[in-house]
Amino acid sequence: MRISRRAVAVAAVLATVLPLSACSGGSGDDSSDASGPVKGKITFQTWNLQANFKDYFNGVIKDFEKKYPDTEVKWVDRPAEGYADKLSADAAGGTLPDVVNVSPDLVAPLAKAGLALDLDKDETAASFRDEYLPGAWQSHQIPGMDGTYGFPWYLNTGPMFYNKRLFEEAGLDPEKPPTTYDEVFDQGLKLAKQSDGEIATLAQVPTIEDFGRYGVQLMNKEGTGFAFNDAKGVEMLTRYKELFDKKALDPQALTATPESSGTKFLTESVAMNPGSALDLENFKTKAPTLYKNIGITDQVTSTGKVNMYVMGVMVNEKTKQKPAAVAFAHFVTDATRQMSFAKQVAIFPSTKGSLDDPYFTKEDGTDETRVRVAAAKSLKTAVNYTPVLFSEQMKTELRNQVAKALQGKQSPQEALDRAVEACDTLLKQS
């Protein structure tokens, strides 16, 4: 099971069924805070976790109820498919659980509807802020709104793999792979030239995360519109077009998927590709020659900070048992519980200091630890570059306009202007 996942168009789904009037349909007293006694019965909802982690969560609940004898936690788990629809129905019907497993894009419409507790305004919840990595805490903040609307839970990221043999054959230092976009562009052109266009450096067109890692401002400060069509955004897309024209960006990148780009890397026709420990095992069994020449480095970034994927835990603003709900949301996501969970599945804790544990810093010669150590190191300063309000439809609009620019059907400026216009229209509709 892949534990790092994002719902398809979840924000759009929730927004269509969550009028602001939903905030008046809760069953609790939203004027209360979490400073009272921790007691009462609460419901905790997760997202497709029960099948593989039943014993773990039952243990967490047992420990919590032991610490707080006057509490009772009911755990419900929902399948990945239809999760956003279920949240929508619960929110509109006033039956949203007390504590809910969410991703940033899921929490945004709930926060706008007044159904997600602002942790920064609740004195008890806010007191836990310094326990988490700053980038993780900020991931559940909504552009245009003050506050933080979910405890950060587990994180995920992946390193960049590169083919040392291909770099060496192009006259590049295989022990010093490109780490910034400018280095990728420059070395990519050299690699393509040396191979007569047979070897590309990258296999996918730039995504919104690439624009973020390049240092482009993605949204305006008010959160009311997108801004990636600025001079820096145009500069990056112009460089990508140069790669595409010189075959340093794979010719099939316009229609590539993560799976197809992975295959390109596997067959050694692409020099760099993002991945995970699962990919290393795949290389070892299916492409032993490639495996012998695998290099592992951080994600490419010109900001010095890599991208992180975040899951969180939200407290229902309308819960009748706010002290217990806040206490449990914090308990599930504290350093002890996160460290325990990370040793069961390939995720990373969002709590400060956890990534300094030997589990994330010491290699033992296995593929798993090689990737784990590299990823954990980069996560300490990582940020979630994907705007909370950037939907799947917006991703499609950006991809389509980028493809037209790479094909020369319009200039990079025109492409990004049209992408921003389309995304702004979708933003207003949501």
Side-chain angles (χ1 to χ4, degrees):
M1 180 191 74
R2 289 185 63 114
I3 200 163
S4 59
R5 61 222 186 269
R6 295 180 65 86
V8 178
V10 286
V13 171
L14 282 167
T16 59
V17 297
L18 280 183
L20 290 179
S21 59
C23 67
S24 64
S27 58
D29 177 9
D30 62 354
S31 64
S32 64
D33 59 35
S35 61
V38 177
K39 63 179 182 179
K41 183 177 181 178
I42 59 172
T43 299
F44 169 51
Q45 179 172 292
T46 53
W47 182 359
N48 194 33
L49 295 176
Q50 192 171 47
N52 294 290
F53 306 106
K54 184 177 181 179
D55 291 342
Y56 169 78
F57 284 103
N58 282 335
V60 169
I61 292 170
K62 182 179 179 180
D63 290 343
F64 179 79
E65 292 175 341
K66 182 179 180 179
K67 182 176 181 179
Y68 300 102
D70 294 329
T71 62
E72 180 181 347
V73 180
K74 177 184 178 183
W75 175 33
V76 296
D77 187 70
R78 304 298 181 191
E81 184 176 357
Y83 189 72
D85 294 323
K86 177 60 179 173
L87 280 183
S88 301
D90 286 343
T95 57
L96 194 67
D98 304 280
V99 181
V100 187
N101 176 193
V102 291
S103 55
D105 50 350
L106 278 173
V107 83
L110 295 171
K112 288 184 176 182
L115 296 174
L117 177 68
D118 180 355
L119 305 185
D120 292 335
K121 288 184 179 180
D122 186 279
E123 184 175 350
T124 300
S127 70
F128 301 126
R129 177 175 186 154
D130 288 341
E131 296 181 17
Y132 302 89
L133 295 171
W137 185 269
Q138 294 165 8
S139 66
H140 287 82
Q141 296 175 351
I142 316 300
M145 295 180 66
D146 293 329
T148 303
Y149 296 91
F151 284 99
W153 195 6
Y154 54 84
L155 311 176
N156 222 325
T157 191
M160 177 68 80
F161 293 124
Y162 67 100
N163 189 317
K164 291 184 176 182
R165 179 182 66 81
L166 296 180
F167 274 81
E168 187 171 21
E169 289 178 354
L172 301 170
D173 188 342
E175 302 305 323
K176 295 182 179 180
T179 58
T180 68
Y181 282 90
D182 286 342
E183 291 173 350
V184 168
F185 297 145
D186 293 341
Q187 294 187 35
L189 291 173
K190 184 174 182 180
L191 198 152
K193 182 178 180 180
Q194 290 295 106
S195 65
D196 293 324
E198 292 296 317
I199 304 298
T201 299
L202 301 174
Q204 295 190 66
V205 300
T207 63
I208 194 67
E209 291 88 357
D210 287 300
F211 283 91
R213 287 191 294 253
Y214 191 71
V216 177
Q217 181 179 342
L218 303 180
M219 294 193 79
N220 61 32
K221 293 181 180 179
E222 297 75 25
T224 57
F226 293 95
F228 52 81
N229 59 336
D230 64 4
K232 201 166 188 65
V234 173
E235 176 184 273
M236 190 185 86
L237 186 52
T238 300
R239 295 299 305 272
Y240 260 92
K241 176 165 172 46
E242 185 180 9
L243 290 186
F244 188 72
D245 291 342
K246 301 293 186 180
K247 295 185 178 180
L249 177 63
D250 187 77
Q252 297 178 3
L254 302 183
T255 57
T257 64
E259 290 75 21
S260 65
S261 62
T263 299
K264 289 277 186 177
F265 186 73
L266 191 73
T267 57
E268 300 190 72
S269 59
V270 170
M272 301 184 75
N273 200 59
S276 69
L278 297 176
D279 295 302
L280 268 180
E281 185 61 31
N282 193 37
F283 302 152
K284 187 175 183 179
T285 57
K286 294 185 177 180
T289 302
L290 168 65
Y291 180 75
K292 290 191 301 182
N293 292 292
I294 282 291
I296 303 174
T297 188
D298 290 341
Q299 295 174 20
V300 174
T301 173
S302 296
T303 65
K305 298 180 179 181
V306 305
N307 187 59
M308 70 164 69
Y309 299 95
V310 190
M311 272 291 167
V313 175
M314 183 200 89
V315 175
N316 182 354
E317 169 66 29
K318 305 299 178 180
T319 178
K320 293 180 179 179
Q321 307 294 347
K322 193 167 292 183
V326 169
F328 185 75
H330 171 251
F331 191 82
V332 171
T333 62
D334 71 11
T336 299
R337 257 55 60 175
Q338 288 211 46
M339 195 67 201
S340 176
F341 196 32
K343 290 183 178 181
Q344 296 196 29
V345 65
I347 52 90
F348 300 86
S350 62
T351 41
K352 288 181 181 177
S354 297
L355 297 177
D356 294 322
D357 188 276
Y359 184 73
F360 296 111
T361 60
K362 302 294 184 182
E363 293 187 30
D364 61 9
T366 64
D367 294 339
E368 182 180 5
T369 58
R370 288 177 68 192
V371 175
R372 184 167 68 226
V373 169
K377 182 180 179 181
S378 68
L379 274 171
K380 290 182 180 181
T381 57
V383 297
N384 180 13
Y385 285 110
T386 305
V388 173
L389 303 175
F390 203 72
S391 69
E392 294 295 324
Q393 286 177 285
M394 294 174 189
K395 293 177 185 178
T396 299
E397 290 288 350
L398 176 59
R399 184 183 182 89
N400 290 343
Q401 296 302 328
V402 164
K404 290 178 181 179
L406 296 179
Q407 293 171 312
K409 295 180 178 180
Q410 58 189 11
S411 71
Q413 183 71 69
E414 290 171 332
L416 294 182
D417 285 346
R418 291 174 181 175
V420 164
E421 182 181 4
C423 291
D424 282 349
T425 297
L426 290 169
L427 183 62
K428 292 177 183 177
Q429 292 174 351
S430 67

